[in-house]
């Protein structure tokens, strides 16, 4: 295997096309898929040396694999991180990252506005092993500060948050975490690496569901954890090797190749999302639109400070509650109903009845997940087709409503 080093200072698109590539003796142009569990050694001495860490080389794909390695190296270049470790899913990444920060008797602080699985890990799973969790509203800096205990070792947050696109000031929360001696873990799925760099804002660990924009075409599950080399080596590597949430080399290969088009895709999806958000805001059937790229986002000043673009997701509330939200979803012909996001296909979901069904009415009310709220993930279709689809659906529902009211 040979890796060719890129000239220093090349741009992000160049890094995502060439970065991390290692060529076999065949000199293949496109990165190879090493679909293998194990590796053979020339001699027994060679095997012993590799196990002892005295010789370079792979030993078993649960520990490492050339294709997975290429994906990790390319992700580290994208994020500007010292080290990246791939996992089988985003939830495997979140779980491992949090487990690597705590032991029984420790305490974590997390925002309430979290992806369902993430909320389960901090709120239900960690406490079963003697790690208490305090959940706070992510925007309430005083609450983060007040939640700190002498045994607090980790903070966890997600911004923009699913599904309401509420924002958390990463630099401010990082400062509180660090003054408490805790590490800040940020789930950066919604913003993507294109629009937000948590490590540069002071976060210590970034996690992704690669299932979303990194694959970008709705095919494979995957996850990534990025941080500094020392923490990864000391706290994460043994945990990953011995518990086995390894990413399949096949999925790693899909993700590795998908990174080549990542900036093009996410930039286009963001451009379309901004147009769609503006069109929705003008429609009479809409009660409110929440998009981090719009000046009327409730926390626009945080978006301006830490994001370089509004991202590919829009939350909006239709007038008429759940019935209207269902009717609009059902009337769409280009946009598909799905709880996934970050796909090439535009996808819409009704959080209150799907992804956030598990929460109580009070919890949903606190997070402002109302019955009329819809979350829209913008894909790669022509922007005018997405706008037309939503306009047609909203018009048809508004027409029916005014007839029944009249
Ligand atoms: C999807 C998602 C996850 C979980 O990722 P999986 O790949 O589905 O396990 C975690 N956080 C956020 C914000 C997500 O959107």
């Amino acid at each position: 295997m040979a890796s060719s080093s890129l000239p220093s200072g090349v741009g992000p698109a160049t890094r995502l096309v060439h970065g991390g590539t290692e060529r076999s003796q065949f000199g293949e142009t496109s990165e190879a898929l090493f679909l293998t569990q194990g590796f053979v050694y020339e001699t027994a001495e060679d095997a012993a040396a590799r196990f002892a860490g005295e010789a370079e080389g792979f030993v078993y794909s649960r520990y490492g694999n050339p294709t997975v390695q290429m994906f990790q190296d390319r992700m580290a270049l994208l994020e500007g991180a010292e080290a990246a470790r791939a996992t089988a899913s985003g939830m495997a990444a979140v779980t491992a990252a949090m487990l690597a920060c705590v032991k029984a008797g420790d305490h974590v602080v997390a925002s309430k506005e979290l992806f369902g699985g993430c909320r389960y890990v901090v709120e239900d799973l960690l406490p079963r092993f003697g790690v208490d969790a305090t959940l706070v509203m992510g925007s309430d800096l005083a609450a983060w500060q007040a939640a700190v205990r002498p045994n607090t070792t980790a903070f966890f947050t997600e911004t923009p948050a699913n599904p309401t696109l509420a924002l958390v000031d990463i630099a401010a929360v990082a400062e509180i975490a660090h003054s408490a001696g805790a590490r800040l873990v940020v789930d950066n799925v919604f913003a993507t690496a294109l629009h937000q760099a948590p490590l540069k804002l002071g976060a210590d660990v970034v996690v992704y569901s690669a299932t979303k924009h990194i694959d970008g075409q709705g095919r494979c599950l995957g996850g990534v954890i990025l941080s500094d080399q020392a923490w990864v080596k000391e706290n994460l590597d043994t945990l990953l090797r011995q518990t086995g949430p390894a990413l399949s080399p096949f999925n790693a290969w899909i993700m590795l190749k998908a990174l080549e088009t990542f900036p093009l895709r996410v930039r286009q999806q963001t451009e379309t999302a901004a147009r769609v958000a503006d069109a929705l805001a003008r429609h009479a059937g809409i009660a409110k639109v929440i998009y981090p790229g719009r000046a009327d986002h409730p926390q626009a000043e945080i978006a301006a400070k830490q994001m370089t673009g509004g991202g590919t997701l829009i939350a909006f509330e239709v007038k008429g509650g759940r019935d209207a939200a269902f009717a609009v979803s059902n009337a769409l012909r280009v946009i598909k109903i799905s709880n996934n996001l970050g796909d090439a296909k535009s996808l819409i979901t009704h959080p209150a009845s799907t992804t956030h069904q598990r929460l109580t009415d009070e919890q949903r009310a606190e997070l402002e997940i109302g019955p009329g709220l819809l979350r829209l993930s913008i894909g790669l279709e022509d922007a005018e087709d997405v706008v037309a689809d939503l306009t047609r659906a909203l018009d048809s529902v508004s027409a029916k409503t005014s007839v029944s009211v009249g």
Side-chain angles (χ1 to χ4, degrees), residues 89-92 94 115 118 158 187 189-190 209 211-212 221-222 341:
S89 70
M91 281 322 305
V94 171
F115 180 81
C118 301
E158 171 182 315
D187 181 333
V189 165
F190 272 48
S209 164
T211 313
K212 313 295 166 51
L221 300 182
L341 62 100

Side-chain angles (χ1 to χ4, degrees), residues 329-406:
S329 304
N330 293 340
L332 294 166
R333 288 157 61 189
V334 174
I335 300 165
K336 305 299 172 204
I337 299 171
S338 173
N339 48 287
N340 203 11
L341 62 100
D343 198 310
K345 295 178 171 61
S346 290
L347 305 173
I348 199 159
T349 189
H350 180 252
S353 64
T354 60
T355 54
H356 292 70
Q357 197 184 79
R358 195 175 79 88
L359 300 185
T360 63
D361 289 346
E362 294 74 36
Q363 285 173 325
R364 273 194 297 271
E366 183 181 28
L367 302 178
E368 296 185 48
I369 302 170
L373 187 80
L374 290 166
R375 187 196 73 194
L376 176 61
S377 169
I378 295 295
L380 286 167
E381 302 92 344
D382 292 297
E384 47 274 25
D385 292 335
V386 179
V387 170
D389 200 32
L390 284 160
T391 308
R392 195 188 316 113
L394 285 161
D395 286 348
S396 71
V397 172
S398 309
K400 264 187 218 133
T401 316
S402 46
V403 168
S404 65
V405 169

Side-chain angles (χ1 to χ4, degrees), residues 144-221:
W144 285 97
Q145 182 65 61
V148 169
R149 298 182 194 167
N151 56 341
T152 304
T153 57
F155 276 30
F156 181 81
T157 194
E158 171 182 315
T159 176
N162 180 45
T164 56
L165 309 181
L167 305 181
V168 176
D169 185 332
I170 296 173
V173 172
E175 210 179 301
I176 299 169
H178 295 159
S179 65
R183 291 181 76 81
L184 172 61
V185 181
V186 174
D187 181 333
N188 203 37
V189 165
F190 272 48
T192 80
L194 193 70
H195 295 307
Q196 186 168 272
L199 296 177
K200 293 192 182 70
L201 294 162
D204 304 284
V205 182
V206 174
V207 288
Y208 287 104
S209 164
T211 313
K212 313 295 166 51
H213 306 83
I214 293 171
D215 174 301
Q217 292 167 71
R219 297 164 295 192
C220 298
L221 300 182

